[in-house]
């Protein structure tokens, strides 16, 4: 399918056909494609939990507020943000970029470029994503406000701001996954109606993790899509400046 066809095929399906199973390996392949989505500073502070076990699916239904999309889904994918993995991911990206420089940069520029990556992922990212009961974010906020008096600077620096950054990145991954599913003819429904505390308990997630989205997966029934798709006219949202 062309992109336009994929976008038109993707609908929030709320009733799946229990007689039509989907291949978990194909879903996993779509999740592999989702890893190509961009994330802020390439930090990839997300995880996904692919639920195929019937007993676990049944436990997830009340945690998803007994929605039909959840109870009729063949499989579920839970997307999670993981701020606690910041240092680990920063070290992984740093190691990759250092090797990237050595393989692809002229010898005379390698040292400078490696130092730049060391400064960014070794110093800046841990500082920017650091958390300490909100205090680290307050200090960052005060610092950027002071610097911002003299030059442009990113002002979203609080711990709550960084939480938003991680969820935006994770949302891009989830959308890429849903489009990949449409491309192979599978249907999805992104759920925001869920009890995050219960979902985290079922998946044994740490306290710091956040549930970004639960995505129900399957093959749609005729009543799975609620009529025509409503969209506001582009003229109400498009502003050319």
């Amino acid at each position: 399918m062309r992109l336009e066809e994929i976008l038109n095929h993707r609908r929030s399906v709320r009733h799946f056909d229990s007689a039509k199973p989907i291949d978990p390996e194909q879903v996993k392949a779509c999740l592999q494609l989702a890893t190509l989505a961009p994330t802020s500073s390439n930090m990839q502070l997300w995880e996904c939990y692919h639920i195929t076990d019937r007993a676990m699916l049944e436990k997830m239904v009340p945690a998803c507020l007994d929605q039909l999309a959840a109870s009729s889904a063949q499989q579920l994918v839970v997307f999670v943000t993981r701020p606690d993995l910041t240092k680990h991911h920063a070290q992984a990206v740093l190691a990759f970029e250092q090797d990237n420089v050595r393989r692809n940069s002229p010898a005379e520029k390698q040292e400078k470029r490696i130092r730049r990556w060391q400064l960014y992922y070794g110093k800046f990212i841990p500082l920017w994503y650091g958390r300490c009961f909100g205090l680290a974010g307050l200090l960052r906020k005060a610092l950027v406000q002071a610097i911002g008096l003299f030059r442009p600077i990113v002002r979203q620096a609080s711990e709550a701001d960084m939480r938003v950054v991680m969820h935006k990145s994770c949302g891009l991954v989830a959308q890429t996954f849903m489009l990949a599913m449409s491309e192979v003819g599978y249907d999805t429904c992104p759920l925001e109606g869920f009890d995050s505390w219960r979902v985290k308990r079922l998946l044994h997630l740490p306290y710091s993790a956040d549930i970004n989205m639960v995505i129900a997966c399957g093959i749609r029934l005729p009543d799975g899509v609620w009529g025509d798709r409503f969209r506001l006219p582009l003229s109400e949202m498009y502003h050319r400046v």
Side-chain angles (χ1 to χ4, degrees):
M1 287 192 286
R2 295 183 299 111
L3 177 59
E4 183 177 359
E5 293 171 322
I6 292 170
L7 292 170
N8 282 319
H9 175 267
R10 191 218 61 78
R11 298 290 301 272
S12 294
V13 174
R14 293 173 171 83
H15 194 186
F16 298 99
D17 192 338
S18 60
K20 294 181 179 178
I22 58 177
D23 182 0
E25 291 304 313
Q26 186 69 70
V27 176
K28 184 179 179 181
C30 291
L31 289 166
Q32 179 66 52
L33 290 175
T35 66
L36 300 175
T39 60
S40 182
S41 293
N42 200 23
M43 283 294 289
Q44 304 170 65
L45 293 171
W46 65 274
E47 291 179 335
C48 60
Y49 290 79
H50 182 194
I51 303 175
T52 60
D53 178 72
R54 180 50 54 183
M56 179 61 81
L57 287 168
E58 290 175 357
K59 291 177 182 178
M60 283 288 294
V61 173
C64 292
L65 312 183
D66 295 308
Q67 295 181 75
L68 182 58
S71 62
S72 66
Q74 289 283 337
Q75 300 171 29
L76 294 172
V77 177
V78 183
F79 284 92
V80 178
T81 59
R82 292 295 303 268
D84 54 310
L85 298 179
T86 295
K87 290 183 179 179
H88 173 67
H89 285 207
Q91 290 170 359
V93 179
L94 174 58
F96 175 86
E97 293 298 351
Q98 287 175 323
D99 185 57
N100 208 12
V101 169
R102 294 186 183 102
R103 286 185 289 106
N104 298 300
S105 293
E108 67 275 12
K109 295 183 178 181
Q110 289 185 10
E111 184 178 353
K112 182 179 180 181
R113 291 177 179 177
I114 287 175
R115 282 203 307 268
R116 183 182 65 187
W117 288 125
Q118 288 172 335
L119 178 64
Y120 191 74
Y121 286 106
K123 303 292 184 181
F124 176 76
I125 286 294
L127 175 66
W128 199 247
Y129 280 83
R131 296 173 300 148
C132 183
F133 305 105
L135 297 177
L138 287 175
L139 290 174
R140 289 196 301 266
K141 197 77 172 177
L143 178 62
V144 299
Q145 292 297 332
I147 296 173
L149 294 173
F150 305 98
R151 65 178 181 85
I153 190 171
V154 175
R155 296 175 185 270
Q156 289 68 42
S158 71
E159 293 182 26
D161 290 333
M162 298 315 298
R163 182 171 180 258
V164 171
V165 167
M166 285 181 275
H167 277 278
K168 286 193 294 185
S169 291
C170 191
L172 292 172
V173 176
Q175 174 69 356
T176 303
F177 166 68
M178 289 188 288
L179 294 180
M181 290 282 280
S182 281
E183 198 272 335
V184 298
Y186 288 169
D187 294 302
T188 55
C189 184
L191 306 177
E192 290 192 278
F194 53 80
D195 185 323
S196 58
W197 180 77
R198 284 179 166 79
V199 174
K200 286 170 68 172
R201 284 195 65 188
L202 285 171
L203 298 178
H204 305 290
L205 293 170
Y207 174 80
S208 60
D210 268 341
I211 308 299
N212 174 264
M213 204 175 301
V214 178
I215 297 184
C217 308
I219 302 292
R220 71 183 73 182
L221 284 170
D223 66 342
V225 176
W226 294 350
D228 296 332
R229 174 185 271 150
F230 168 72
R231 286 295 182 271
L232 291 168
L234 182 62
S235 59
E236 293 189 22
M237 296 174 284
Y238 175 73
H239 308 280
R240 186 168 181 170
V241 296

